[in-house]
């Protein structure tokens, strides 16, 4: 049976991407997970994977086209299969009439019997039946969309409580009920007027068009610094034991699995998060979303900006696996060949400038995460051990945290735990 290849959502704020190059032609056989095209989001050049196996029957988008998240880009099926009903690419419109019916039925009056109102199960069934098309880049049930339209609600502002963050009818109704409170908060909040500075140009200046990556970085960082109440906690960590353990570990590993100091920092950050779930969470207005998995991202400098690659289940992964995963993802990022899974589902980020002789810095939180850890260079400095002055290796690390989710004392305890793990690094191997 024929199926669509759709444009995936590869980041928290991704709305569209450019289809740069087709790597497969009509008539080619394709396996699920095989790379069929290269796409470019505002973060990086990525590889588009086929979501099903079969023969590429038709391309629905041309190279150079800007494609919205959830839109269909191609059709895969059996050779010779009739796809005339799918060629317009409108998966939602091609759904059977009985699937679309819930979105067209009038909302029953409150006095009617409960059985006549569409319940949550019916909403989920309808949402699953229309496929993975997300109009406007928002995952929502048909009933939720209708209620939002009736009350002029922007679904992007609504937190979803359904599977995968899907917005349901109850979420929209709760958002509508909270409107008066939001208006009162907005009325009381001080108004901030920001005027864009005029930059003079002339014969001694040069202008270049801002890349999508740089635009995205600017947009996200302004959003973070103006909407997230940051606070910072810095710790100084003795790195002697870590450096010795790394040398011992790498003596037993092949080159492709050798561990870096950053891998050990990432592992320690993940283990410390087990004891402080507020730092592995996201602020969502009236709720805090706690992530069951600990997926630590690493900020990577690439041409024209930076991106973050995400190592999954970091707290339960071995050091050698963390090292192998990060090495492969960082290489793909620098080559402009990032895969969707490389940049998705991060819950915490480490930004390490240790390679650049940086003593200390603070990083900006990457929404919707609650914290980011900024790591400097491990340097040889005078230290006092057992009452005597000697030379030791120390590193400074600063965590930036969201004050809506956590507080200073809790974050300080997290840094204590992080420091303990690095100063007694055998715990990273257990």
């Amino acid at each position: 049976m024929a199926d669509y290849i759709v444009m995936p959502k590869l980041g928290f704020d991704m709305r569209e991407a450019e289809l740069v190059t087709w790597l497969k032609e009509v008539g080619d056989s394709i396996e699920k997970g095989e790379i069929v095209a290269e796409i470019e989001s505002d973060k990086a050049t990525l590889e588009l994977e086929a979501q099903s196996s079969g023969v590429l029957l038709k391309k629905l988008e041309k190279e150079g086209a800007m494609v919205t998240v959830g839109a269909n880009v191609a059709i895969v099926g059996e050779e010779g299969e009739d796809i005339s009903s799918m060629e317009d690419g409108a998966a939602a419109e091609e759904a059977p009439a009985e699937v679309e019916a819930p979105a067209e039925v009038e909302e029953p009056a409150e006095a009617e019997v409960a059985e006549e109102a569409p319940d949550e199960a019916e909403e989920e069934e309808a949402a699953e039946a229309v496929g993975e098309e997300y109009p406007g880049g928002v995952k929502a049930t048909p009933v939720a969309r209708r209620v939002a339209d009736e009350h002029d609600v922007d679904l992007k502002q609504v937190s979803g409580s359904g599977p995968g963050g899907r917005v349901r009818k109850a979420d929209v109704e709760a958002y509508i009920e909270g409107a008066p409170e939001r208006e009162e908060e907005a009325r009381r909040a001080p108004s901030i007027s920001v005027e864009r500075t005029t930059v003079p140009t002339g014969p001694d200046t040069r202008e270049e068009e801002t890349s999508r990556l740089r635009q995205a970085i600017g947009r996200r960082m302004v959003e973070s610094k103006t909407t997230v109440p940051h606070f910072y906690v810095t710790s100084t960590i003795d790195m002697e034991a870590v450096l010795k353990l790394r040398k011992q570990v790498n003596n037993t590993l092949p080159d492709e699995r050798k561990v870096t100091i950053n891998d050990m920092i990432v592992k320690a950050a993940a283990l410390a998060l087990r004891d402080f779930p507020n730092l592995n969470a996201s602020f969502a207005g009236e709720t805090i979303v706690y992530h069951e998995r600990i997926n630590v991202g690493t900020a990577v400098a690439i041409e024209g900006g930076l991106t973050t690659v995400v190592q999954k289940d970091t707290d339960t992964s071995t050091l050698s696996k963390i090292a192998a995963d990060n090495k492969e993802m960082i290489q793909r990022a620098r080559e402009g060949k990032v895969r969707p899974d490389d940049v998705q589902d991060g819950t915490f980020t480490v930004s390490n400038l240790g390679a650049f002789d940086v003593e200390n810095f603070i990083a900006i939180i990457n929404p919707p995460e609650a914290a980011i850890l900024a790591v400097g260079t491990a340097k040889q400095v005078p230290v006092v051990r057992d009452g005597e002055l000697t030379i030791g290796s120390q590193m400074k690390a600063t965590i930036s945290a969201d004050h809506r989710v956590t507080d200073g004392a809790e974050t300080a305890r997290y840094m204590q735990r992080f420091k303990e793990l690095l100063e007694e690094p055998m715990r990273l191997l257990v």
Side-chain angles (χ1 to χ4, degrees):
M1 181 177 176
D3 198 3
Y4 291 107
I5 296 176
V6 302
M7 177 64 70
K9 186 170 185 176
L10 306 175
F12 171 70
D13 64 342
M14 176 174 162
R15 296 291 178 260
E16 62 181 7
E18 179 183 354
L19 200 160
V20 179
T21 306
W22 278 108
L23 303 179
K24 293 289 184 178
E25 298 299 330
V26 173
D28 289 351
S29 295
I30 296 172
E31 295 295 327
K32 182 178 180 180
E34 189 174 359
I35 308 304
V36 296
E38 291 181 349
I39 58 177
E40 184 177 337
S41 73
D42 53 12
K43 294 184 180 296
T45 300
L46 308 158
E47 296 176 332
L48 176 61
E49 299 179 358
Q51 288 108 27
S52 56
S53 301
V55 174
L56 182 58
L57 301 177
K58 184 167 183 175
K59 300 176 183 177
L60 299 175
E61 298 289 352
K62 297 179 180 179
E63 293 182 354
M66 295 302 298
V67 185
T68 58
V69 169
N72 301 316
V73 296
I75 301 174
V76 174
E78 298 179 2
E79 188 171 1
E81 186 174 353
D82 181 11
I83 58 170
S84 57
S85 62
M86 301 175 66
E87 290 181 341
D88 64 358
E93 293 178 7
E94 294 300 328
E98 58 269 20
V99 172
E100 293 187 346
E104 300 298 330
V105 175
E106 284 191 10
E107 188 72 21
E110 291 182 359
E112 294 180 14
V113 292
E115 291 78 22
E116 293 180 17
D119 60 17
E120 297 294 350
E122 290 172 337
E123 284 191 65
E124 298 303 334
E125 290 172 4
E128 294 294 339
V130 297
E132 293 297 317
E133 286 268 320
Y134 307 143
V138 179
K139 186 187 294 186
T141 67
V143 177
R145 292 188 186 280
R146 177 166 56 78
V147 174
D149 288 341
E150 291 173 353
H151 293 83
D152 196 24
V153 171
D154 182 359
L155 283 172
K156 295 176 184 177
Q157 305 299 320
V158 182
S159 298
S161 61
R166 179 182 291 116
V167 177
R168 300 186 294 186
K169 175 188 171 187
D171 300 324
V172 178
E173 291 175 338
Y175 182 86
I176 294 169
E177 290 176 1
E181 295 179 6
R182 290 193 301 274
E183 291 175 0
E184 178 64 17
E185 289 177 1
R187 186 183 65 80
R188 293 180 178 178
S191 94
I192 301 174
S193 176
V194 179
E195 294 185 4
R196 191 179 298 273
T197 303
T198 301
V199 181
T201 60
D204 297 327
T205 63
R206 176 173 57 88
E207 292 184 73
E208 292 184 4
E209 184 177 348
T210 308
S211 67
R212 280 198 296 274
L213 174 59
R214 182 53 59 187
Q215 290 174 10
I217 293 171
R219 184 174 64 252
R220 294 295 301 283
M221 295 302 96
V222 169
E223 174 196 352
S224 180
K225 287 295 286 185
T226 57
T227 64
V228 178
H230 289 56
F231 71 93
Y232 315 99
V233 177
T234 301
S235 292
T236 301
I237 301 164
D238 188 330
M239 297 294 286
E240 289 289 335
V242 166
L243 294 172
K244 291 178 182 178
L245 180 62
R246 173 179 175 256
K247 184 176 181 180
Q248 294 173 348
V249 169
N250 283 343
N251 286 337
T252 67
L253 296 173
D255 289 344
E256 65 273 12
R257 297 183 73 87
K258 287 190 183 299
V259 173
T260 67
I261 292 297
N262 188 70
D263 297 323
M264 302 179 81
I265 290 170
V266 166
K267 176 70 173 183
L271 289 176
L273 286 172
R274 286 180 174 178
D275 298 327
F276 300 92
N278 281 339
L279 292 168
N280 197 55
S282 299
F283 181 78
E286 297 179 355
T287 63
I288 295 177
V289 178
Y290 293 93
H291 306 292
E292 297 298 327
R293 299 173 69 187
I294 296 175
N295 301 331
V296 178
T298 298
V300 181
I302 59 176
E303 184 177 356
L306 72 151
T307 190
T308 301
V309 297
V310 181
Q311 202 280 329
K312 307 299 192 299
D313 300 312
T314 314
D315 59 321
T316 58
S317 297
T318 63
L319 269 177
S320 60
K321 182 175 185 341
I322 292 172
D325 288 350
N326 280 335
K327 183 177 181 180
E328 292 174 2
M329 291 189 294
I330 290 171
Q331 182 175 346
R332 286 196 292 267
R334 290 176 175 161
E335 292 175 352
K337 303 292 184 183
V338 175
R339 296 175 183 172
D341 192 54
D342 292 350
V343 295
Q344 292 178 325
D345 303 326
T347 62
F348 185 92
T349 298
V350 170
S351 181
N352 190 343
L353 292 181
F356 302 99
D357 196 24
V358 173
E359 180 177 353
N360 190 36
F361 73 105
I362 59 175
I364 301 174
I365 296 169
N366 185 24
E369 295 173 12
I372 183 170
L373 186 66
V375 178
T377 305
K379 293 186 174 184
Q380 285 195 325
V381 295
V383 297
V384 176
R385 288 199 181 99
D386 300 325
E388 295 186 1
L389 185 64
T390 183
I391 300 297
S393 183
Q394 292 189 340
M395 177 190 79
K396 289 186 178 180
T398 300
I399 190 169
S400 306
D402 184 345
H403 222 320
R404 299 170 301 178
V405 177
T406 185
D407 299 301
E410 179 179 49
T411 307
R413 291 196 297 273
Y414 170 85
M415 292 301 289
Q416 284 182 325
R417 178 61 177 155
F418 173 71
K419 178 176 179 174
E420 289 171 359
L421 288 164
L422 287 179
E423 292 184 344
E424 299 177 18
M426 287 299 293
R427 302 184 188 190
L428 305 180
L429 305 180
V430 177

